[in-house]
Amino acid sequence: MKRLLFTCCLLLLSSIGAASDAQLPRPPELEPDVQFWIRVYTEITTNAGFLHDQHNLSVVYETLRFDVDTPPRERARKVDEERERYHDILLRLANGDDADDADARHIKELWGAEGTPLRFQQAADDVRWQLGQADRFRAGLARAGAWQTHIGAVLANLGLPDEIAALPHVESSFDPYAYSKVGAAGLWQFMRSTGRRFMRIDSAVDERLDPYRATEAAAQLLSYNYRLLGSWPLAITAYNHGAEGMRRARDQLGTDDIVRIVRDYHSPSFGFASRNFYVSFLAALTVSRNPDKYFSGLQHTNESSYREVQVPVATSAASLVRTLGMDRDQLRSLNPALLPTVWNGTRPVPPNYILRLPGTSRWTTESLAARLGVRAPVNVAAAAVVTSAAKPIIVASAPATHVPAPAAPPIETTHVQPPATVASVATPAAASAPAASATPQPGTAEYYVVQSGDTLEAISANAHLPVKKLMTLNALHEQDDIYEGQRLRLVAEAPEPETVTTAATVEAAKVAIAETEEDKQAVRTARRLEAKAEPVTRSEAQAEGPELVSGTVNSASVDPVDYSVGSDHTIRVAAAETLGHYADWLGIPAARLRTLNHLKGRKPVVMARRLKLEFNAVTPEQFEHKRRDYHERLEAAYFAAHRIGGTEAYIARKGDSLWSITQRSVKVPVWLLQQYNPDLDFGDLKPGTQISLPKVEDVTSL
């Protein structure tokens, strides 16, 4: 009986290992690359480095080592000198010269049968320097213990592979305060624009610096990537390169094979760091799972317990320190998301902020509110719980259990009855709504949601509003500026739900748009960093960024929609785009586009359908830039006031359409729904289709 039980256990462990390998494969073709990064992470410190071929990582020409006190300029001179020497030897071999010295013979041995004159010619320009990372990786292994249980619980909650817990080794060496030169921050190195989707980031709070909140955000992003790409190697690479880029690579090569993609996909933005992101992750995973094999005498940081309480009202940090009777530095270390502006008194701790206290603290949300002389917040149940790193953290759900991809992370599937209101959005006090076929009547609805086939003239007639009045109410420049799912205002005094209306949120939107520009500049800076010489000292590497794959910059955009122009000068219509937009970006009349595409009347363009463009006034590249900029600004303004708290699955029923589905939440715009379902044709929605719906929270109410 015992032998049978033992055999069953072995079979179970074997099946678990096989499932893990299936989700996160380690292809034999990429094994030399993985071994290269294991060597970088464990063999050499930041006082040494490899001169190697940037495409064939099994070819390492030389290991250069420096004394600790060797000046950076002297190190750089030596690296350049050696790189040039190998460049010259490779050119001599390419020209057919005899391998008449030890270095030339060594190079020929390294390349083996692959060492043809043509290959040597190519390799001459591919000699690259890689700084060692063993000291930084060792420090990261020691720090990781503080959050490993929390990370594991969050990943398990969303059904993600537990191996992903090793990713911060590549991103930040598990440094929660890590800032990169290009604007990424925290344990998971979120860019600001990406982080704002899932976390609070403003002048007082930056949750990218909170390892607990940032872990939950990273799990959401990785789950999102997986749903879009259906492969963990691609989803992990997309964490760096972006979902749009990986979808384009997959579609261009017609495969999701990570080997084919890293070897054969060519794009100016898919450089050394992106090509090596997955293999460096596999290397980090290997080392982190057996640290004693590579590092002796490791001292791991212990996990700590904590208690969370909700701050009931905007309060200065000094007042909280006095009220709680806590050491200021201890309170600050427990709450790394609170920025210096809070601790120097420029900004208060925001109302409803979840404050972390030592696990031994006896404070509760109610007792803190009583001491501050205010009423405790209504939602105190979740905030007043004693929590530790060992307690599973519940985050809002992820994808449904019956997602077609067999290894998809499980989420709750929700069958929702179609909303009764399909033609208009009633005011909050309304008890009933028109039937599906009803049209808006004056005085009964504040908004009308554009349906497939609508024209502005028809909407105007049914609402008993002049066309010009309707255009003024909705800031429409042309009658072509409407799209399916758009919410049109019908009553002047009613504020648009998706419009930022308070002075604070208007300012936040402006800041967000400015920060989008910062993200663009950050990405450009990162690309330049990757093109220049690699760092030769620890301080130079840290100045560029905390990531262990030098040149890495996580994508500033999560948007998977392809905004590029096809070789036939066509595009696929994206959500929130109108014929008026295209005419403006192209510098031609909208009527010309209607003629070019045989569009009659003034019906809006249909999302996901192809449209022919004419490039007389601008180039396709200029058009793409304007198009992307428009969507980035939409996102920036929206995520200044909202954030995503998870997803739910909605099963389409008979009669559903894009505009009726958007009725389920006034906070989810059409373009965000498309981002979560980029391959769905909402113009031909069939019953039973599974739709991923983001759960959106209003940041201003938190």
Side-chain angles (χ1 to χ4, degrees):
M1 185 66 180
K2 289 183 177 179
R3 180 173 296 179
L4 178 61
L5 181 61
F6 178 71
T7 303
C8 291
C9 289
L10 286 179
L11 289 173
L12 177 61
L13 290 173
S14 176
S15 66
I16 292 173
S20 177
D21 290 343
Q23 291 189 82
L24 290 161
R26 186 166 169 164
E29 300 92 332
L30 297 180
E31 190 59 30
D33 305 59
V34 176
Q35 291 302 321
F36 172 84
W37 288 107
I38 290 176
R39 293 184 64 191
V40 170
Y41 293 163
T42 63
E43 283 188 16
I44 52 174
T45 69
T46 47
N47 288 315
F50 295 139
L51 279 171
H52 67 96
D53 185 81
Q54 69 162 313
H55 294 292
N56 186 344
L57 300 188
S58 64
V59 176
V60 176
Y61 299 113
E62 184 178 356
T63 301
L64 294 181
R65 302 182 188 276
F66 302 102
D67 293 333
V68 176
D69 57 355
T70 303
R73 182 172 297 179
E74 175 61 23
R75 293 188 181 205
R77 185 196 63 77
K78 180 64 174 176
V79 169
D80 289 342
E81 180 182 279
E82 288 299 294
R83 181 168 25 220
E84 191 63 29
R85 188 168 71 87
Y86 282 103
H87 174 272
D88 292 343
I89 296 173
L90 286 161
L91 285 183
R92 290 205 312 270
L93 292 173
N95 292 330
D97 294 353
D98 292 334
D100 54 1
D101 58 53
D103 286 335
R105 287 193 296 272
H106 172 62
I107 290 175
K108 290 196 73 171
E109 289 173 3
L110 285 173
W111 282 100
E114 196 180 342
T116 64
L118 178 60
R119 191 67 188 87
F120 287 139
Q121 178 77 39
Q122 296 168 339
D125 293 324
D126 287 337
V127 181
R128 182 183 179 275
W129 163 259
Q130 174 60 52
L131 187 70
Q133 304 290 342
D135 44 349
R136 295 172 70 187
F137 203 99
R138 181 188 179 97
L141 286 170
R143 285 189 290 259
W147 308 287
Q148 60 186 8
T149 303
H150 176 84
I151 293 174
V154 170
L155 296 177
N157 269 336
L158 287 181
L160 309 188
D162 62 354
E163 291 91 341
I164 289 175
L167 193 56
H169 282 298
V170 181
E171 287 292 332
S172 66
S173 303
F174 269 91
D175 181 358
Y177 295 102
Y179 272 103
S180 92
K181 191 174 184 178
V182 298
L187 207 70
W188 294 87
Q189 286 294 282
F190 273 96
M191 297 292 284
R192 182 180 291 270
S193 59
T194 303
R196 287 173 78 95
R197 284 183 167 240
F198 310 108
M199 295 175 282
R200 180 169 185 162
I201 304 174
D202 53 37
S203 59
V205 178
D206 188 344
E207 290 185 334
R208 295 179 298 170
L209 302 177
D210 185 320
Y212 300 96
R213 302 293 84 81
T215 294
E216 292 155 14
Q220 281 199 64
L221 176 53
L222 286 159
S223 178
Y224 170 82
N225 286 347
Y226 181 81
R227 284 196 302 271
L228 294 176
L229 296 161
S231 154
W232 277 115
L234 298 192
I236 289 171
T237 307
Y239 193 84
N240 164 252
H241 188 63
E244 179 191 356
M246 294 315 298
R247 282 165 58 85
R248 186 182 298 112
R250 181 194 64 187
D251 296 345
Q252 187 178 111
L253 296 180
T255 181
D256 60 3
D257 179 7
I258 188 64
V259 177
R260 283 279 316 281
I261 288 174
V262 300
R263 295 287 190 251
D264 300 335
Y265 178 60
H266 301 288
S267 166
S269 61
F270 197 68
F272 181 83
S274 294
R275 292 199 311 270
N276 281 272
F277 197 75
Y278 182 64
V279 291
S280 62
F281 160 74
L282 291 177
L285 175 63
T286 301
V287 178
S288 65
R289 291 210 150 174
N290 195 4
D292 295 335
K293 175 181 176 181
Y294 301 98
F295 300 101
S296 60
L298 270 176
Q299 297 293 322
H300 297 282
T301 304
N302 294 326
E303 296 171 333
S304 59
S305 63
Y306 57 86
R307 171 185 288 269
E308 290 182 339
V309 299
Q310 190 171 356
V311 179
V313 66
T315 310
S316 71
S319 176
L320 273 179
V321 168
R322 288 193 303 270
T323 300
L324 296 169
M326 278 188 63
D327 177 75
R328 183 178 184 274
D329 291 338
Q330 183 186 22
L331 187 63
R332 186 171 185 174
S333 68
L334 284 168
N335 297 276
L338 294 176
L339 295 174
T341 53
V342 170
W343 299 104
N344 66 22
T346 305
R347 295 280 187 273
V349 177
N352 300 320
Y353 184 77
I354 304 300
L355 193 71
R356 198 172 293 124
L357 305 178
T360 56
S361 173
R362 295 182 178 274
W363 285 98
T364 65
T365 297
E366 293 88 350
S367 61
L368 178 60
R371 180 64 65 88
L372 293 174
V374 296
R375 181 177 296 179
V378 175
N379 55 330
V380 297
V385 177
V386 175
T387 315
S388 73
K391 178 182 166 132
I393 305 299
I394 304 300
V395 256
S397 63
T401 53
H402 61 280
V403 171
I411 65 165
E412 173 187 0
T413 302
T414 308
H415 292 266
V416 183
Q417 186 68 24
T421 304
V422 293
S424 62
V425 180
T427 57
S432 61
S437 60
T439 53
Q441 298 299 319
T444 63
E446 293 183 354
Y447 304 98
Y448 174 73
V449 179
V450 179
Q451 306 175 34
S452 177
D454 275 343
T455 65
L456 201 65
E457 292 95 331
I459 297 170
S460 171
N462 288 329
H464 299 281
L465 282 174
V467 171
K468 288 187 177 179
K469 177 67 173 177
L470 192 57
M471 292 177 65
T472 301
L473 286 173
N474 294 278
L476 301 178
H477 299 293
E478 301 284 346
Q479 292 189 39
D480 288 312
D481 289 353
I482 63 171
Y483 53 88
E484 183 184 0
Q486 184 178 15
R487 187 176 289 107
L488 295 179
R489 184 184 303 171
L490 304 181
V491 182
E493 62 270 19
E496 168 67 56
E498 292 180 10
T499 300
V500 181
T501 54
T502 67
T505 50
V506 167
E507 184 60 30
K510 291 178 181 177
V511 170
I513 291 171
E515 288 166 346
T516 300
E517 295 298 325
E518 290 179 10
D519 278 323
K520 289 188 212 173
Q521 181 59 42
V523 173
R524 289 192 289 268
T525 301
R527 302 308 176 203
R528 288 199 301 272
L529 287 174
E530 186 171 2
K532 79 173 190 60
E534 298 296 317
V536 295
T537 66
R538 179 189 179 97
S539 59
E540 284 184 1
Q542 199 68 34
E544 283 193 11
E547 70 284 338
L548 297 192
V549 183
S550 183
T552 295
V553 52
N554 288 338
S555 176
S557 175
V558 180
D559 187 353
V561 178
D562 186 357
Y563 296 112
S564 61
V565 178
S567 57
D568 58 352
H569 283 185
T570 67
I571 59 167
R572 191 175 297 277
V573 175
E577 294 180 344
T578 70
L579 211 63
H581 286 126
Y582 302 142
D584 181 52
W585 301 335
L586 291 166
I588 62 176
R592 173 58 187 153
L593 286 174
R594 288 196 174 277
T595 301
L596 193 63
N597 290 277
H598 309 290
L599 299 175
K600 297 180 180 180
R602 289 193 175 274
K603 293 182 180 180
V605 291
V606 179
M607 192 173 78
R609 304 298 164 81
R610 296 211 72 85
L611 197 74
K612 180 77 174 177
L613 304 181
E614 185 175 85
F615 294 96
N616 291 329
V618 300
T619 66
E621 291 73 23
Q622 290 171 326
F623 174 86
E624 287 178 13
H625 175 77
K626 293 178 181 180
R627 192 183 187 196
R628 291 177 190 276
D629 183 68
Y630 164 71
H631 285 278
E632 286 168 358
R633 289 176 180 274
L634 272 182
E635 289 188 28
Y638 183 76
F639 287 116
H642 306 89
R643 72 181 177 196
I644 299 170
T647 60
E648 63 179 333
Y650 173 74
I651 306 302
R653 300 170 70 95
K654 187 176 181 179
D656 270 342
S657 66
L658 171 65
W659 57 267
S660 69
I661 292 170
T662 60
Q663 304 292 310
R664 299 194 68 253
S665 171
V666 297
K667 296 178 181 177
V668 179
V670 176
W671 56 263
L672 185 57
L673 188 63
Q674 185 189 33
Q675 287 185 9
Y676 271 74
N677 305 272
D679 297 318
L680 282 186
D681 183 354
F682 284 95
D684 185 24
L685 196 58
K686 295 178 173 57
T689 302
Q690 180 172 296
I691 300 167
S692 181
L693 295 178
K695 294 180 179 178
V696 176
E697 302 168 351
D698 188 341
V699 173
T700 59
S701 66
L702 299 179

